[in-house]
């Protein structure tokens, strides 16, 4: 059950929030083989000046920053994660979010670190 947290400018969320949500979700379904009903996302919107970044870091022409952090169980290999990153970038580019403006990170833990409304015992 990945938990996706997306930080972005409020104006971008107002304009494209549902499409960003759908694009990221579908990329996880396609890239990780995740169950389509496994959708948990938190959008954090920010006013101008609340997201600070270097527009040229790593030789990239960054115009805005959309930060996507994915908390998930450690069970995917590097190739699968890279494919997921590519799927997210592709789907968001289709709706007008430039790949250069994305910062995607994965944070992993174990199955024992999750409670999703139902006890395991």
């Amino acid at each position: 059950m990945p938990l996706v947290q997306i930080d972005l400018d409020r104006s971008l969320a107002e304009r494209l929030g549902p499409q960003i949500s759908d694009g990221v979700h579908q990329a996880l379904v396609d890239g990780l083989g995740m169950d389509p009903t496994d959708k948990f996302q938190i959008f954090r919107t920010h006013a101008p000046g609340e997201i600070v970044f270097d527009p040229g870091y790593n030789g990239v022409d960054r115009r805005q920053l959309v930060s996507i952090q994915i908390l998930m169980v450690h069970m995917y290999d590097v190739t699968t994660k890279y494919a997921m990153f590519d799927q997210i970038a592709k789907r968001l580019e289709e709706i007008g979010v430039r790949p250069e403006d994305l910062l995607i990170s994965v944070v992993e833990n174990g199955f024992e670190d999750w409670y999703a409304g139902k006890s395991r015992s």
Side-chain angles (χ1 to χ4, degrees):
M1 177 186 89
L3 171 61
V4 179
Q5 299 176 66
I6 303 171
D7 286 89
L8 68 168
D9 286 341
R10 187 165 291 119
S11 63
L12 181 61
E14 290 169 356
R15 200 171 72 249
L16 294 175
Q19 295 96 321
I20 291 171
S21 173
D22 291 345
V24 170
H25 182 69
Q26 193 59 51
L28 295 178
V29 170
D30 294 344
L32 301 179
M34 188 180 81
D35 183 324
T37 65
D38 191 357
K39 187 175 188 178
F40 293 88
Q41 300 176 342
I42 299 170
F43 276 73
R44 294 183 292 233
T45 63
H46 301 274
E50 291 183 349
I51 297 177
V52 179
F53 60 92
D54 185 323
Y57 174 75
N58 204 28
V60 175
D61 175 27
R62 198 168 286 103
R63 298 178 190 160
Q64 64 182 336
L65 185 66
V66 177
S67 173
I68 301 171
Q69 185 178 67
I70 304 165
L71 176 61
M72 62 188 192
V73 172
H74 180 69
M75 59 187 266
Y76 301 101
D77 61 32
V78 172
T79 303
T80 301
K81 291 179 210 174
Y82 284 171
M84 178 194 65
F85 295 153
D86 292 342
Q87 280 286 323
I88 292 171
K90 175 182 173 262
R91 289 184 180 282
L92 295 189
E93 184 175 30
E94 290 172 356
I95 62 167
V97 178
R98 300 170 62 243
E100 296 87 355
D101 296 335
L102 297 176
L103 176 63
I104 306 170
S105 61
V106 168
V107 178
E108 297 175 307
N109 57 17
F111 286 103
E112 70 278 7
D113 298 315
W114 291 85
Y115 176 83
K118 185 168 129 177
S119 177
R120 295 189 188 277
S121 55

